[in-house]
Structure formats: structure tokens, C-alpha cells
Amino acid sequence: MPDSIKDFESAIAELETIVKQMEEGDLPLDRSLALFERGIALSRYCHDQLAAAERRIEQLTDRGDLKDASHLLESNDVDR
């Protein structure tokens, strides 16, 4: 089990594997605790990544207010 987290998708995949292993329920206590600790780290990483993505989307859309951009398409059609 690598300590580093490559990216969001690999973190989700590893988290799903950990959940599946823990749901089987036949792990020794030490292994269960190690998997739980890793799962918490992965969960926090994913949560932070999602929060960062949400902040970025809010910045790109000017505080979450989506703006109608259809006028941009219409002006491009006239220019062609």
C-alpha cells in the first residue's frame, strides 16, 4: 500500500478496494486499523480535491452565478 496519493481517481479506486476488503470482515485487527487509517487519509484527500474543484468552478463562474454565454455564440456566427 503506497503512502503517497497519485490523484483523485486513484484515491477513489484505492478507497473502494479498502471498503471492499473491510466489508469482507475477516481481517486481523491491526490490518483493519491500518486500512481504516489509510481510508481516512484517502477520504480527506478526495474531499479536499472536490472542495478545490468547487472553489475553482465558483471563481470561473463569478461566485457561482452561471452567466448566459449564448450571445458569444451568436456573435461568432455573424463573424463567420
Side-chain angles (χ1 to χ4, degrees):
M1 174 171 31
D3 287 339
S4 64
I5 300 172
K6 182 179 169 189
D7 55 30
F8 180 81
E9 290 76 15
S10 65
I12 290 290
E14 186 178 348
L15 192 54
E16 289 173 347
T17 300
I18 288 172
V19 169
K20 188 174 182 178
Q21 288 176 326
M22 293 188 74
E23 285 179 343
E24 292 174 1
D26 55 353
L27 296 171
L29 180 60
D30 288 344
R31 179 73 178 142
S32 293
L33 286 173
L35 287 174
F36 182 78
E37 185 175 349
R38 178 66 175 168
I40 292 295
L42 291 166
S43 176
R44 287 181 180 153
Y45 173 83
C46 289
H47 185 269
D48 290 347
Q49 292 296 305
L50 289 173
E54 185 177 353
R55 284 191 302 273
R56 186 169 180 201
I57 289 169
E58 286 176 358
Q59 289 172 344
L60 292 171
T61 60
D62 193 23
R63 299 283 180 205
D65 296 330
L66 292 177
K67 295 181 178 177
D68 181 19
S70 61
H71 67 283
L72 297 174
L73 292 174
E74 292 169 4
S75 66
N76 286 340
D77 288 342
V78 172
D79 295 339
R80 290 182 189 173

